[in-house]
Amino acid sequence: MFLKDFLPEISLPSAALAFIAGIALCGWQACSISPFLAAALQMAATAIAVALILYLGKLRQQNLDMGREAVLKLRFYLSQGLLLLMFCLGFLQMGGASWPSEGGKRLPEGFFVAGTGFVEEVKALNTSAYSGPRYQMLLRLQSHTSSAGSAQADAKDFRLWERQRKILLTIHFGLGEEGEGGARDFEQRCIAGAQIRFAAVMKGEEAPRNPGEFDYAAYLRTKGVYCQGEAQGWDILLLREASTYRRFLADLRNNLNRQLAAYLSPKAGAIIRGCLLGDSSSMEREDREIYRQAGISHLFSVSGTHGSILLAAAFHLERFRFFRKRKALCRILALGLLFFYLSLTGYPLSMQRSFIMACMTQAAMGIRRKSDTRSALATAALLLLWFSPQSLFNAGFQLSFGVVLGIVHLYPWLRRRLPPLLALPLAAQFASLPIQAYWFYQIQPLGFLINLWAVSIMPPLLLLSGFSALAGLIHPATASLLWQAPGLLAEILDLVAGYWTALPFATYTIGEQPWPAYLIGGFILWLLPGWKEKEGALAQWIAQRHEQRQRRADWRQWQSWRLAKKRQRETGAGATGASGVGAGGADASVTSASGTGAGETDVWPEDPKRQKTDLLLEAWLRRRQIVLLGAALYLTVSILTPHTLEITFLDVGQGDGVFWVSPSGKTWMVDAGSSNVRHLGYYRLEPFLRSQGANHLDYVLISHADEDHISGIRDLLLAGWRLRYMVMAPQVAESKEGEALAALAEEKGTAVIRFSAGQQIYDGELVLRCLYPEEGKAVANTNATSIVAELRYKQFSLLLTGDIDADTEDWLLESLQETSMLKVAHHGSGGSSSTAFLEKVKPLASVISCSKNNLYGHPHPDTLARLQETGSRLYLTMDSGALRVTTRGKSFRISGFIQ
């Protein structure tokens, strides 16, 4: 019985929070610990905690007279100790899971290995005219060795490889009938749960090279994958087929996909496949972006919404007479249905959370206890993070748990002010705002409205799709008719999402913010419910703290007075006065009562200074004045601080792209294209622009119409980005490619401006002056049509040269002057940047935009030598990634995205 009286009461949410804090700290510091050492330390820490509890409990049993205050104090210290234990367990669990990375080291590209493993996930990749069928396979490794004859399998690399737990393989099949036949056989037999043997070559991990760019390697690490490989189809050997249950699930998914392809349009089929199975790979890229901007992309990743609909449908079985008195059986059937759906969809993390919470809730109901959503959520977080601590840094994990926690915290507060129909989606919307802003640089301020409608359409869409799929298994002719109802709902969902994203207030781009801003946003959301109660509790805590400080000050003053009187008596000083040191070091006068002799009685004086308020209480009492003063100070500093020009030379591979935000706030883009990066706009430009807080471009300058300068601009126009003005030279606008681009721009509402030598564009103190070409000048080739423009801001200047050659440079010599920075022409080719040209412009810094191992040999060694002879500092995007230039009009600073 002594343990019952002695053990601290630790809530599951507090334990989960401490565990998460340990994982977060370990991940932030990128710590890596041997799994065996981590497990040993965890067991040792747990054993020490248990031994300490038993020892203190034994002391409590032996000392039955221990007072209540002593027991409460021990409980407090023990509870803090247990929270510290959970923190250490989380830290060690993350360190052990991160061990394969070995402090950031990776297997070298080209490392050749072979092994066996179990298939966890397989999905088909898009094919092109130059490649046959391709698949992506996630393997949980069982055994692995270096392949015979591998020259790169040295001992150190292989020891690193031996600690890998998962590998992501991209499997290629050849062109023609042989490749397609092999792909079909592979797709039928190598399903989740199968055991295979493989031989693969390790593939290098491509790190993001521009701000805002998606870090695919970091995403894989959140799934426990630290290496990727390339394999050929004939190097994959099936050792053991998947279990009967796994094969049944695979056949069911394949049958569903065949029905969707046969009975519905491609768009409707893709939407229903995403809603039912969480597989959005068949959706068009533009459609996925529309749903994300509308704030309803969570519908196409299996989440708690799907689990709630299934559980609600299963619990309706209680209406039938057979289940009315068999509620336990009904609960078991509901959880069984939820587990089957979890298996069918491939065990997504959000559905695992829903399943664990459902089990906790039903268990509480089974033993007639009140279910606690916070405890169920904490249990789910502890279980999932114990087996996969890297998931904490996954956007899906944060959204799944964050939204549920936000609903639990905010919904009761909102329900007192709004109808329940609006309070629930609004609570979910508020909770997701900081997470969406962090990961996507955008928020949907009114997203709860479309979510209110979209979530209401999900139950009929899911249930009708399920009935139609079952009918397709029994009677295909009936299924053809039944599928039209969910197909119509899918078309309506797509139509409404398209109209919603076209509204100006649907999405707001906020850009990348310092990380404390997101924490402050979450803290404000936590404060909203019960603000007055929390304010009162804070005021009470401050008052108690102030009272304790006053008591300590009084005690120190009294002790000082006693010592002063003692010294007075010892030295035989007069009894009429003495001085002592009061609280806080202040002098306190000491007086005596009338009378002399041995019986005199002195009185401790009242010091007016001891009533002084401490700083914390003073700040609380003057909180409104301090907030207003801080806001005024912030505005004053913002106004008086000199405006800054920020220029970014983007890493677009083999191509060009320059972006800047002028001091007046206008956004500019000079070229954006690449000859070796596909879908440049979607994968690099759009994420970068969102990270800069730009939802449109004011000016787009096209130097010339080569593909490596305009492909990204075309992607932006097709994606619906608003470009106010497109600036072109007359010679570019009259070319075939330039005319097509100008026509597309005008179709999208962009005004096309002709820009030739002598013309200028003013943007506050910033001036863009065109130096070349002159209107009507005949040119020999496309590169010779390149606009040469000078950007000038106060004393800073940047010379933009497009792809001009040496002849054009000679023609320009008379109009050139010294410049602060030079965008080197034609990616640093040998035919540009002549000695005479460089001696005339004398750039302090030069930027070359090119990619590694490009086919053109850029930059040319002779060009680099000429630039170095002029004393210019060289910066290459292939080495530093995106280059950021900041200036206030005089000096400037350059920093690379890749340090």
Side-chain angles (χ1 to χ4, degrees), residues 665-668 696-700 722-726:
K666 289 186 171 58
T667 53
W668 293 69
H696 73 280
L697 291 171
D698 292 297
Y699 293 94
V700 175
R722 186 165 64 93
L723 315 182
R724 293 183 61 195
Y725 300 105
M726 181 174 288

Side-chain angles (χ1 to χ4, degrees), residues 84 146 151 174 176 203 207 209 244 261 353 375 396 418 553 567 582 589 593 602 653 703 710 723 744 749 761 854 878:
L84 179 61
S146 61
K203 183 172 64 174
R209 305 185 64 82
T244 305
R353 180 212 27 102
S375 297
L418 296 171
R567 286 195 298 269
S589 299
D602 293 327
S703 66
I710 66 171
L723 315 182
L744 176 62
I761 300 176
N854 60 80
M878 69 177 184

Side-chain angles (χ1 to χ4, degrees), residues 666-838:
K666 289 186 171 58
T667 53
W668 293 69
M669 179 75 78
V670 178
D671 292 336
S674 179
S675 60
N676 65 343
V677 177
R678 297 180 60 199
H679 307 302
L680 177 70
Y682 180 75
Y683 290 111
R684 297 200 181 185
L685 295 183
E686 291 188 43
F688 167 76
L689 292 173
R690 284 196 293 267
S691 72
Q692 304 305 302
N695 53 14
H696 73 280
L697 291 171
D698 292 297
Y699 293 94
V700 175
L701 174 67
I702 305 297
S703 66
H704 63 294
D706 279 355
E707 192 67 11
D708 61 341
H709 288 252
I710 66 171
S711 64
I713 300 298
R714 186 191 306 114
D715 290 344
L716 292 179
L717 286 170
L718 293 174
W721 275 73
R722 186 165 64 93
L723 315 182
R724 293 183 61 195
Y725 300 105
M726 181 174 288
V727 183
M728 288 181 168
Q731 291 85 342
V732 176
E734 293 167 3
S735 66
K736 181 180 178 181
E737 295 81 3
E739 186 178 355
L741 183 64
L744 176 62
E746 290 176 344
E747 179 186 340
K748 299 295 184 179
T750 301
V752 179
I753 301 175
R754 305 294 179 93
F755 196 47
S756 55
Q759 294 182 328
Q760 301 182 88
I761 300 176
Y762 292 91
D763 181 7
E765 296 183 88
L766 184 146
V767 180
L768 185 70
R769 181 167 65 100
C770 183
L771 305 178
Y772 176 88
E774 292 182 333
E775 188 171 4
K777 178 179 174 58
V779 292
N781 53 60
T782 306
N783 288 339
T785 65
S786 296
I787 287 180
V788 178
E790 181 189 49
L791 170 68
R792 185 166 292 277
Y793 176 62
K794 298 180 182 179
Q795 300 176 37
F796 171 83
S797 60
L798 166 66
L799 187 61
L800 302 164
T801 55
D803 280 355
I804 61 174
D805 53 18
D807 294 337
T808 306
E809 291 175 350
D810 293 339
W811 190 90
L812 281 167
L813 284 177
E814 294 183 0
S815 59
L816 293 174
Q817 55 185 337
E818 293 184 8
T819 186
S820 305
M821 285 194 68
L822 170 68
K823 201 287 294 183
V824 178
H826 206 183
H827 320 291
S829 70
S832 303
S833 304
S834 62
T835 301
F837 174 81
L838 293 176

